[in-house]
Amino acid sequence: MSCHFHQGNGVMPILFFKIILKTNLKSLKIPDNFALKHGSGLSNPVFLKPPDGTRWKVCLKKKNDQVWFEKGWEEFTQNYSLDHGCLVLFKYEGTTSSQFDVIIIDDSALEIDYSSYGNDDDDVSVQIAKEIHPYKKNKETMRGEKNVTTSLSLNWPREPRAREEAIKFVSNNPFFTVLLKAPHITQYLLCIPVLEGYVDNGVKNVKLEYRDRSWPVRMLSCNKTYSNRFFSAGWNLFAQENELKPGDVCVFELVNMQDLVFKVHVFAAHHA
């Protein structure tokens, strides 16, 4: 559904929304009436701009009078954990950059908390290696110990359970912590920190070690579309073969920087 309003001689922004289904998580068809009126004026790629200030580059497929969001759309849905029943509101102002402001409503009919998705390393993470972790400092001080343990945590999880495990985890190696959600298990991407200072940018082949086995996994680089990195090819197999579940907390410890080997520590979800 889409609509636009006239105000004097000007045109107000055009709004349309799409309900997210299992069938449009990888590509999304723009409403036909919008495509007929404005499709020819859209640049390719376009940019999606949520309220968190990020801009996501999405390539279009135009066929006859129909327009689809394709390359880049799946990364957008993955980052914000879009699933069946979510709603995305698009606002288009006809700008030369073909930018769409977007608002995401989850299946509870509330706008999502954008700060919980994807950009952990931009504003509230610990990030800087070898700094004293403030919570670990307090913990050690309360115990009366003289030597304060430093933390090489590369992110600062917002979710309480993940944060708790990150605080408790002690290692001489850099590590990051992720609370798994349903899309992390069923899809092929897992958003991870940039790993700046330990792994240079670029697509990498890494190994994930768990128990007595290892799995090869592809690590995608940062680019202008997104500021994080991702585990991609191989991640889904790792998650399935180790029966990872939503609610599990994973700590990824970089035990070999030369060969890019991560030892994975899994803290299972609490079940009633």
Side-chain angles (χ1 to χ4, degrees):
M1 177 179 180
S2 67
C3 57
H4 62 271
F5 304 94
H6 293 272
Q7 186 179 47
N9 294 325
V11 178
M12 295 283 284
I14 301 104
L15 305 176
F16 66 86
F17 69 85
K18 294 291 291 188
I19 297 173
I20 301 302
L21 308 171
K22 297 289 186 185
T23 53
N24 59 22
L25 287 170
K26 294 187 177 182
S27 62
L28 181 77
K29 182 184 175 188
I30 293 176
D32 287 342
N33 56 350
F34 178 90
L36 282 169
K37 293 178 181 178
H38 307 286
S40 61
L42 292 174
S43 64
N44 198 357
V46 296
F47 293 89
L48 306 183
K49 186 179 178 182
D52 58 9
T54 58
R55 293 175 79 237
W56 296 76
K57 183 169 67 174
V58 176
C59 295
L60 302 178
K61 182 182 80 171
K62 299 181 181 181
K63 186 175 182 181
N64 299 326
D65 292 322
Q66 296 181 336
V67 180
W68 299 74
F69 290 149
E70 288 220 321
K71 184 179 179 182
W73 171 251
E74 186 173 13
E75 287 78 7
F76 177 82
T77 65
Q78 286 286 331
N79 186 76
Y80 294 104
S81 299
L82 299 187
D83 205 350
H84 188 93
C86 293
L87 183 147
V88 183
L89 177 67
F90 297 84
K91 181 174 76 171
Y92 175 69
E93 300 190 44
T95 57
T96 55
S97 62
S98 289
Q99 177 175 291
F100 292 84
D101 292 328
V102 298
I103 291 176
I104 302 169
I105 308 297
D106 66 19
D107 56 7
S108 70
L110 295 175
E111 186 174 4
I112 68 169
D113 176 7
Y114 301 95
S115 66
S116 299
Y117 297 92
N119 293 293
D120 289 349
D121 49 291
D122 286 343
D123 47 9
V124 296
S125 60
V126 176
Q127 277 304 344
I128 301 174
K130 300 181 181 178
E131 279 193 355
I132 296 173
H133 193 300
Y135 285 84
K136 283 192 176 177
K137 180 177 181 180
N138 294 339
K139 185 177 178 182
E140 300 295 341
T141 302
M142 285 188 295
R143 291 178 178 174
E145 296 180 14
K146 294 180 180 179
N147 295 325
V148 178
T149 303
T150 60
S151 172
L152 298 186
S153 180
L154 298 178
N155 72 331
W156 184 227
R158 292 179 172 86
E159 302 90 353
R161 267 207 64 233
R163 188 181 305 170
E164 179 185 353
E165 298 299 346
I167 291 170
K168 292 191 297 185
F169 193 80
V170 178
S171 174
N172 292 323
N173 299 312
F175 64 91
F176 62 91
T177 310
V178 177
L179 174 69
L180 298 183
K181 301 176 183 178
H184 298 154
I185 310 299
T186 58
Q187 305 297 329
Y188 72 94
L189 286 176
L190 179 69
C191 183
I192 65 173
V194 175
L195 310 180
E196 185 176 1
Y198 293 98
V199 181
D200 58 351
N201 198 20
V203 178
K204 304 290 183 183
N205 294 313
V206 306
K207 285 186 180 180
L208 301 184
E209 290 186 345
Y210 183 58
R211 294 175 176 164
D212 58 349
R213 287 187 58 192
S214 66
W215 286 258
V217 173
R218 195 80 159 164
M219 179 194 290
L220 300 184
S221 60
C222 307
N223 61 32
K224 293 180 181 178
T225 303
Y226 43 78
S227 57
N228 289 72
R229 304 182 87 139
F230 293 87
F231 286 148
S232 60
W235 161 251
N236 183 254
L237 181 64
F238 174 84
Q240 290 184 354
E241 291 194 349
N242 290 295
E243 299 181 342
L244 300 182
K245 296 178 176 60
D248 290 348
V249 173
C250 292
V251 175
F252 297 84
E253 180 187 9
L254 183 57
V255 296
N256 186 325
M257 277 187 265
Q258 182 174 354
D259 297 330
L260 299 183
V261 179
F262 291 85
K263 184 176 182 180
V264 184
H265 307 263
V266 179
F267 302 91
H270 300 311
H271 298 289

